[in-house]
Amino acid sequence: DDMVQKGRQSHPKGELNARTKFTEANVTEIRRRYAEGGVTYEQLGRLYGVSQMNIHYILNRVTWKHVS
């Protein structure tokens, strides 16, 4: 936030980040599937090839905050 307020370049968000493993559609799908129930962080992690912690960050909006 400080960088943006001072007019400095911000880090690329979401799909603009070259290192991301997800698309906005993936993030929306992960949140929808978890909300429907019957699936765990571990199962989602295996399905998308990431750790449970990555799934935790997505579901708790630590990452991908800009995706509703």
Side-chain angles (χ1 to χ4, degrees):
D1 289 337
D2 181 62
M3 287 180 3
V4 173
Q5 289 174 358
K6 292 181 179 178
R8 297 182 188 136
Q9 187 82 8
S10 66
H11 296 285
K13 283 185 187 177
E15 294 179 41
L16 298 177
N17 184 335
R19 295 178 54 188
T20 189
K21 295 183 178 186
F22 299 106
T23 63
E24 290 186 10
N26 293 144
V27 171
T28 302
E29 177 73 7
I30 288 167
R31 289 179 178 155
R32 182 191 62 76
R33 291 181 73 163
Y34 189 76
E36 288 176 353
V39 65
T40 65
Y41 284 23
E42 182 180 2
Q43 291 167 330
L44 288 168
R46 270 192 263 124
L47 182 65
Y48 288 92
V50 297
S51 70
Q52 293 177 46
M53 189 56 69
N54 282 23
I55 299 299
H56 167 81
Y57 288 153
I58 290 169
L59 293 174
N60 290 283
R61 299 184 187 279
V62 175
T63 57
W64 294 89
K65 296 177 211 180
H66 65 285
V67 177
S68 44

